[in-house]
Amino acid sequence: MSTQTISKLQDTLSRAVRPLTPEEIKKYKDEGYFLFKNLVSPEAAKELYTDIMDIMNIIGIGQTKLRQTAQYLHGTLLETYIQSKLLHGIAETLMGMKSHLYLPFTAVKSGGGGGRFHFHQDGNYTKFVQGQGINLWMALVPMRAENGALRIVPCSHLGGEISSENVGEGDTHVKVKDEPENSQVIEMEPGDCVAFTRYTVHGSGPNNTDQHRVAYAVQFYTDDAIARFNGKEQVLRDEPRFTDIWGVDEIIPDNAGARDGH
């Protein structure tokens, strides 16, 4: 894609807004998630895919159920997207309060057998003792059951945090103790984005295709959020959980895949 075209996409995305209706906000609050169709254009989705795969080509994908890194390059459309008023506006409208960037990260499931990601809540990881969190999860390829599309359990956020345990067998991730029976596959097209709460149970099946499942997640927290990490409770706006979230001049291989983005 030409530099001029990318510049036009950046300009368009930097000015984009997505007003929400009362009915959309209510659906999010009632069901714990809301699917935004065509949040960005097919052209923008294609360039975001390219930005992410450029990162993957440097840090490597391997055989994985979720390749994560918070690295992204300054000057790219991905930077514009992550820091956009579009995402901030959606987060603040759905959570009803001033919000801040928590963590952006790649969510790539490798082709040829990238495995199942167990059902969990984002809140099973870093514990929020006050405030809200939201995940804006965008598809950059078509998402279907066969390539490990996101699965969500409607209304699972209503009871707050659910008891969880380690997955085990050398996997350091966690899962909810009771396997949900009513999850829904969220079929998505490139540019679609699903927003869900920090307590919405979600996971994904294996990628049984030969193509990588490519998505990107951008998380926010409310201004009043307090989280427990590093052995104490901390006000996130004063002491953020993650600080390496504002872009880099060079992508370097790192161990970000070992740090879960929750």
Side-chain angles (χ1 to χ4, degrees):
M1 192 171 289
S2 70
T3 300
Q4 184 178 17
T5 300
I6 294 172
S7 179
K8 288 181 179 178
L9 288 173
Q10 288 173 321
D11 180 63
T12 299
L13 186 54
S14 68
R15 293 184 287 105
V17 294
R18 173 51 164 88
L20 277 76
T21 67
E23 291 76 19
E24 290 172 334
I25 298 169
K26 183 177 186 302
K27 183 176 177 65
Y28 171 81
K29 292 183 180 298
D30 288 348
E31 298 187 10
Y33 74 100
F34 185 81
L35 177 60
F36 294 91
K37 301 295 292 183
N38 304 308
L39 186 64
V40 303
S41 68
E43 295 78 15
K46 183 177 180 180
E47 179 61 21
L48 291 171
Y49 172 90
T50 298
D51 287 345
I52 292 167
M53 293 311 296
D54 285 347
I55 296 169
M56 293 293 110
N57 289 336
I58 295 173
I59 70 172
I61 297 177
Q63 189 73 16
T64 179
K65 63 182 182 181
L66 187 67
R67 185 62 169 110
Q68 292 175 277
T69 181
Q71 294 185 84
Y72 59 93
L73 285 175
H74 293 308
T76 59
L77 189 67
L78 183 56
E79 178 184 48
T80 303
Y81 173 71
I82 292 166
Q83 299 181 20
S84 67
K85 292 185 293 184
L86 174 66
L87 295 189
H88 276 86
I90 290 172
E92 293 191 347
T93 300
L94 290 176
M95 294 193 292
M97 186 180 295
K98 180 180 179 181
S99 302
H100 308 275
L101 182 64
Y102 180 67
L103 183 68
F105 61 89
T106 58
V108 178
K109 188 188 294 284
S110 59
R116 175 192 183 201
F117 203 100
H118 289 78
F119 285 104
H120 66 284
Q121 299 170 309
D122 289 350
N124 293 147
Y125 290 87
T126 303
K127 309 292 184 181
F128 276 32
V129 299
Q130 178 177 297
Q132 301 175 61
I134 192 171
N135 194 331
L136 301 177
W137 198 95
M138 174 166 282
L140 279 312
V141 298
M143 297 288 171
R144 303 291 187 269
E146 55 266 27
N147 71 342
L150 196 70
R151 302 183 72 100
I152 282 178
V153 181
C155 306
S156 53
H157 67 303
L158 296 176
E161 185 178 345
I162 297 173
S163 181
S164 63
E165 61 187 5
N166 287 332
V167 171
E169 299 182 355
D171 191 327
T172 59
H173 292 95
V174 300
K175 62 179 181 178
V176 294
K177 286 187 176 180
D178 297 321
E179 184 77 5
E181 298 179 352
N182 60 333
S183 66
Q184 295 184 2
V185 175
I186 309 299
E187 293 193 348
M188 304 170 69
E189 302 301 329
D192 293 350
C193 180
V194 60
F196 54 91
T197 82
R198 197 162 177 77
Y199 293 116
T200 301
V201 175
H202 60 285
S204 61
N207 183 357
N208 294 317
T209 74
D210 60 0
Q211 300 295 314
H212 301 312
R213 189 215 71 178
V214 181
Y216 201 86
V218 184
Q219 299 176 333
F220 295 87
Y221 62 89
T222 52
D223 196 53
D224 63 341
I226 298 174
R228 184 180 299 114
F229 59 97
N230 294 335
K232 62 178 181 178
E233 294 181 1
Q234 303 192 58
V235 178
L236 287 176
R237 68 170 182 270
D238 297 330
E239 298 178 272
R241 176 73 174 89
F242 304 104
T243 57
D244 56 341
I245 61 173
W246 300 107
V248 296
D249 293 321
E250 179 184 7
I251 302 295
I252 58 173
D254 64 2
N255 65 349
R259 182 190 72 184
D260 194 87
H262 296 87

